[in-house]
Amino acid sequence: MINTYDEALAFIHGRTKFKKIPTLKRMRRFLDELGAPDKHVNAIHIAGTNGKGSTLAFLRNLFQAEGKTVGSFTSPFLIKFNERISVDGVGISDDEILRLTQEIYPTIAKLDAELPEGGPTEFEIVTAMMFKYFAEGHADIVLIEVGLGGLYDSTNVIIPKVSVITSIGWDHMHILGDTLPKIAFQKAGIIKPGVPVVVGGVDPEPLKVIVNLAEQKQSPIQILGQNFKVNDRGEHNWVQQFDFSSADFQLHDLKTALIGDYQTHNAALAIQAYIDYHQLTKRSVDVRNIQKGIAATRWAGRFEKISAKPTIVLDGAHNISAVSLIVDTLQNDFPQGHIYILMGILADKQADKMVDKMATVQNASIILTQFAGPGKRLAANPEKLESQLKTQPENVSAIDDWQDAIRELRRKLAPDDMLLITGSLYFISDARKFLLNADHNFK
């Protein structure tokens, strides 16, 4: 029996991660055994290679600005497991995690005994906990982030009010496919018949796949750059400014603390999804709530300035698409001073391509490092990674111990310089804890 929070986590994390054959049948059976809690959740569903977390954060703040209680389901967590199921941005309590695990445990045991492939996976269990919790009425609306892909993701049992596809890029190709149209097909699997879908900046070929699926399912589609637009006004004093326009709304001088042109695109997706939701539920939109919600949005680990003197920034750019966006931001908004970029990347990512791309930043030094990956997943070895680089750039070096690297680089920073710590979200989580305890670590 599971009697403590730690035992609950050990049980959840001890489950299998994947099954050989992707299917939603096991998840549907699991939820039906629990009384189909997903059918009692008022949701917006968010898929995409990058931008899911930020889009969700903007949406949460938009709804909170009008007084709604907002549930969220996100992954992975940055500091503590409980963050994955949150209310108004605060992870649920240890007691709730224990209660939910205890309540669904008998059903898991039953499915373990009855199903030939075994019972639910780790992610299916956490998803079921989320649906069960929010079906109890803890939030007015729930923002659900896809774990991986879309079509066979365990969250995809939900029939949401609005679906959002933020971006299509290269990630998890061994599971989702080796071309962008194949990846787009998996992500577009969240589109449900008649449910409006909002789509971000997607290249023409994968976009064609998404549009075709939306047409087949008679789902109204709104595409960034076509049906609604964002005009980026650039960054000033760590505030990004932009305008939003659609057929019904013209919003000027919106401000966000999330830095980068790509963040204004995520904000625009959130605004459009927010508008669609209100039109569906026949409620009017108060523009002041949009301004307030966008300005209030924060998202830990996304170009997050964690220290001002010296300037230290954290960003979980964990795939090649995200690195490309970071490179654009650094070149457009931070041409002054020197940028020290400390990278810790999982070995199963396109690590060499990520470093080669980052090394194109003119005023930067790249320092590769190592960290403890989650479970059996390993971090890329810094020296081996350095030797694999195509261009053999001169501005790349390696320091094995990431804590030593932070201490060393921190001492080098001049007033106009920046230390950017980036790569795997697991690495960012470790670095964030270390830096928040900086008084202890830097004495």
Side-chain angles (χ1 to χ4, degrees):
M1 192 55 198
I2 297 164
N3 297 309
T4 67
Y5 170 77
D6 287 339
E7 286 175 4
L9 285 196
F11 170 70
I12 293 164
H13 294 324
R15 300 292 297 188
T16 53
K17 306 290 187 239
F18 296 102
K19 303 284 189 185
K20 283 183 180 173
I21 300 167
T23 178
L24 285 178
K25 286 180 183 173
R26 182 176 53 255
M27 189 68 201
R28 184 68 268 157
R29 165 94 186 269
F30 186 17
L31 290 170
D32 287 346
E33 295 269 358
L34 294 170
D38 56 299
K39 293 181 178 169
H40 304 280
V41 172
N42 178 39
I44 292 177
H45 200 195
I46 305 168
T49 304
N50 295 304
K52 295 189 293 291
S54 299
T55 302
L56 183 148
F58 282 121
L59 263 171
R60 181 173 64 223
N61 282 274
L62 289 169
F63 282 110
Q64 280 186 244
E66 65 171 66
K68 291 272 195 302
T69 302
V70 189
S72 303
F73 183 58
T74 57
S75 58
F77 59 92
L78 202 59
I79 303 296
K80 189 173 181 179
F81 173 83
N82 306 35
E83 296 165 27
R84 298 184 71 165
I85 304 170
S86 71
V87 177
D88 289 345
V90 179
I92 64 173
S93 69
D94 294 1
D95 287 347
E96 290 288 43
I97 295 287
L98 174 58
R99 173 181 72 84
L100 291 164
T101 309
Q102 288 173 331
E103 288 180 5
I104 67 173
Y105 178 80
T107 305
I108 297 167
K110 181 184 179 190
L111 295 178
D112 279 343
E114 292 181 3
L115 294 176
E117 77 274 24
T121 64
E122 176 182 6
F123 190 71
E124 287 168 345
I125 289 168
V126 183
T127 305
M129 289 166 66
M130 176 271 295
F131 280 131
K132 191 172 191 319
Y133 183 77
F134 288 122
E136 294 168 355
H138 300 288
D140 300 312
I141 183 163
V142 182
L143 310 174
I144 299 175
E145 183 185 314
V146 165
L148 196 161
L151 183 61
Y152 294 114
D153 187 78
S154 62
T155 63
N156 201 31
V157 292
I158 192 71
I159 306 295
K161 295 289 190 297
V162 181
S163 305
V164 181
I165 301 171
T166 59
S167 63
I168 303 295
W170 300 104
D171 205 6
H172 301 294
M173 286 93 77
H174 58 299
I175 297 170
L176 302 180
D178 55 4
T179 69
L180 291 182
K182 284 180 186 174
I183 294 170
F185 181 78
Q186 292 292 325
K187 307 277 186 194
I190 71 163
I191 299 173
K192 303 297 190 308
V195 174
V197 57
V198 178
V199 182
V202 175
D203 290 341
E205 286 302 305
L207 182 60
K208 203 183 294 178
V209 173
I210 296 168
V211 170
N212 285 344
L213 276 165
E215 285 174 356
Q216 284 171 31
K217 296 185 180 181
Q218 296 183 309
S219 303
I221 186 167
Q222 304 267 16
I223 302 166
L224 178 62
Q226 294 182 27
N227 311 98
F228 64 102
K229 294 179 180 176
V230 62
N231 174 35
D232 193 89
R233 291 173 167 270
E235 173 272 338
H236 182 66
N237 288 337
W238 290 87
V239 173
Q240 196 85 21
Q241 295 176 282
F242 67 102
D243 306 323
F244 171 92
S245 60
S246 66
D248 302 315
F249 289 88
Q250 305 289 322
L251 306 174
H252 298 288
D253 291 327
L254 294 165
K255 295 178 175 68
T256 175
L258 272 62
I259 304 300
D261 295 359
Y262 60 98
Q263 292 293 14
T264 63
H265 291 187
N266 294 332
L269 290 176
I271 293 167
Q272 187 59 53
Y274 178 78
I275 291 166
D276 281 2
Y277 177 88
H278 280 70
Q279 289 174 340
L280 273 172
T281 53
K282 297 186 167 46
R283 291 186 177 94
S284 61
V285 172
D286 186 332
V287 169
R288 289 169 300 181
N289 287 335
I290 294 180
Q291 292 165 332
K292 194 163 68 173
I294 296 298
T297 302
R298 304 288 183 274
W299 192 234
R302 272 63 171 193
F303 217 82
E304 177 190 15
K305 184 165 73 166
I306 204 162
S307 167
K309 291 181 180 179
T311 302
I312 301 177
V313 176
L314 298 176
D315 193 279
H318 61 285
N319 54 41
I320 188 66
S321 306
V323 168
S324 298
L325 296 173
I326 288 291
V327 167
D328 289 345
T329 298
L330 293 175
Q331 289 176 334
N332 293 339
D333 296 328
F334 298 95
Q336 307 303 319
H338 195 77
I339 304 169
Y340 296 92
I341 304 173
L342 182 63
M343 297 184 77
I345 310 168
L346 286 170
D348 57 7
K349 300 288 181 175
Q350 296 173 296
D352 53 341
K353 289 182 181 175
M354 290 166 69
V355 178
D356 274 324
K357 180 68 179 175
M358 199 69 93
T360 62
V361 179
Q362 295 296 312
N363 55 329
S365 301
I366 319 295
I367 302 90
L368 307 178
T369 194
Q370 213 156 345
F371 65 101
K376 295 178 182 175
R377 295 174 73 189
L378 299 173
N381 177 278
E383 286 79 12
K384 187 178 174 189
L385 179 53
E386 193 180 357
S387 69
Q388 289 171 338
L389 300 178
K390 278 187 184 155
T391 54
Q392 290 297 310
E394 291 178 7
N395 60 340
V396 176
S397 59
I399 300 175
D400 278 352
D401 186 307
W402 64 265
Q403 296 184 358
D404 284 349
I406 289 175
R407 289 190 189 98
E408 185 179 318
L409 294 169
R410 198 172 185 264
R411 286 192 289 268
K412 287 184 179 179
L413 293 175
D416 284 347
D417 295 346
M418 178 198 296
L419 169 56
L420 171 62
I421 302 171
T422 187
S424 163
L425 284 165
Y426 298 100
F427 173 48
I428 297 308
S429 174
D430 290 345
R432 195 168 191 275
K433 288 176 204 165
F434 179 76
L435 286 161
L436 289 175
N437 196 18
D439 287 345
H440 169 72
N441 288 313
F442 293 107
K443 277 179 180 168

